[in-house]
Amino acid sequence: MDILQAIIIGIVQGLTEFLPVSSSAHLIFVQNLLGIPDVGLDYDVILHAGTLIAVMWFFRVDIVKLLASLVDSLFDLKNRQFKQGLAENPFKRLGWYVILATIPLVIVGYFFESQVDALYTGALFVPAFFLFVTGTILYISQRMNSGEINMNNIGPKESLLMGLGQACAVFPGLSRSGTTIAAGLVAGLDKEFAAKFSFILSIPTMIGAVVLKFIIKSSELNLSSLDFMPALMGFIVTIIAGYFAIKWLLEIIQKRSLDCFAYYCWIVGIVVFVGSIAHIF
């Protein structure tokens, strides 16, 4: 890739990782438009590291509180005050619920990794179809009233439902943020908290993805072979685009509905699906 291609892919990754329009589908579409069949595992790791930094920086205050509360919770467990600690500190509960909600994705990734990977190398109509499904999920979710469940009263049932939504998003074209926010609304979460929980839930997922690629596929990694400037520029713009995507989506959720993203997913999904079937793309 040259610098311009790296910047374009970085912007797409940063925006679509957090906006409910599916980063996997858009990366597949953009790579085809740019004539890049595969960005490579090395650059993929850099992109995920960029989005990870963006979300961790945006929620840095909450993350520090969550980590400190989890450590305190471990001491509570040792002192046989675990339940009392959970009842008194909402950050302790939230930290454990994020871990609980990550379990469905871990199970799907462990048992169905090869089947999921095969979908990413198939025809364009696969992500196009699931992008249309994303639009439908978003549209239906916006017809539901915002619930009253927030950080202070969320429970394991709501956390697991959002975790199941995240696990479903392994399909190319299904938006992780879209499915988790929609699952949260179905579970009765306040819409702003559903979005916040969705973003925080993405952190262990991204950390796991980066770590696993380093450990399991270390033989395929060769970061030293990357062109320095394209990789650096792609990394920087991914962080910037990701940060503003989170900020923008939270503002939209507070003031408007997500219908605009549903319409967008429908239009792009239909265009790419028809174009793929007709061999235009």
Side-chain angles (χ1 to χ4, degrees), residues 1-271:
M1 289 183 294
D2 57 34
I3 292 179
L4 179 60
Q5 290 173 328
I7 290 175
I8 292 173
I9 292 176
I11 292 173
V12 171
Q13 167 66 20
L15 291 177
T16 60
E17 179 66 40
F18 301 111
L19 297 180
V21 295
S22 176
S23 61
S24 58
H26 281 76
L27 285 175
I28 293 172
F29 299 158
V30 170
Q31 287 170 210
N32 274 271
L33 287 174
L34 295 177
I36 304 172
D38 187 5
V39 298
L41 183 61
D42 305 331
Y43 193 65
D44 186 56
V45 169
I46 289 175
L47 291 177
H48 279 86
T51 50
L52 175 61
I53 290 173
V55 68
M56 290 186 71
W57 179 251
F58 193 95
F59 292 104
R60 58 192 181 278
V61 175
D62 293 300
I63 292 171
V64 171
K65 291 180 180 179
L66 281 172
L67 292 176
S69 297
L70 280 173
V71 172
D72 287 343
S73 190
L74 293 175
F75 283 106
D76 290 341
L77 185 62
K78 180 181 177 182
N79 298 327
R80 298 183 180 181
Q81 295 178 332
F82 184 72
K83 289 185 179 180
Q84 180 182 344
L86 292 181
E88 295 174 352
N89 189 334
F91 277 98
K92 290 181 181 179
R93 293 196 301 274
L94 184 61
W96 286 109
Y97 288 148
V98 168
I99 294 173
L100 178 65
T102 306
I103 293 175
L105 180 61
V106 173
I107 294 173
V108 171
Y110 182 81
F111 288 103
F112 303 103
E113 180 186 9
S114 58
Q115 291 88 337
V116 171
D117 286 346
L119 293 173
Y120 285 81
T121 58
L124 281 178
F125 66 79
V126 175
F129 169 77
F130 282 114
L131 189 63
F132 187 87
V133 173
T134 292
T136 303
I137 291 172
L138 287 173
Y139 186 82
I140 293 173
S141 72
Q142 296 308 292
R143 311 276 85 76
M144 300 176 182
N145 294 325
S146 180
E148 298 180 352
I149 297 175
N150 53 37
M151 182 174 173
N152 295 316
N153 56 359
I154 187 173
K157 181 179 69 174
E158 295 83 17
S159 303
L160 273 176
L161 189 57
M162 291 193 72
L164 290 172
Q166 178 172 252
C168 291
V170 297
F171 293 102
L174 273 184
S175 165
R176 194 208 63 82
S177 62
T179 54
T180 50
I181 292 173
L185 294 176
V186 170
L189 267 66
D190 171 82
K191 61 182 182 179
E192 293 179 32
F193 178 67
K196 184 175 181 179
F197 189 94
S198 171
F199 289 135
I200 293 176
L201 182 58
S202 71
I203 294 173
T205 301
M206 292 181 191
I207 292 174
V210 172
V211 171
L212 284 175
K213 285 172 183 177
F214 269 108
I215 296 175
I216 297 177
K217 299 184 178 181
S218 58
S219 61
E220 301 175 31
L221 286 170
N222 188 14
L223 296 176
S224 61
S225 66
L226 283 173
D227 289 337
F228 177 75
M229 282 307 299
L232 177 62
M233 293 304 297
F235 178 67
I236 292 173
V237 298
T238 299
I239 296 173
I240 297 172
Y243 183 91
F244 282 102
I246 297 171
K247 186 175 185 294
W248 185 34
L249 185 60
L250 289 175
E251 291 175 353
I252 290 176
I253 286 176
Q254 290 174 1
K255 302 174 183 177
R256 297 186 290 275
S257 77
L258 300 179
D259 282 353
C260 58
F261 295 108
Y263 301 143
Y264 173 82
C265 289
W266 283 340
I267 293 171
V268 175
I270 291 173
V271 169

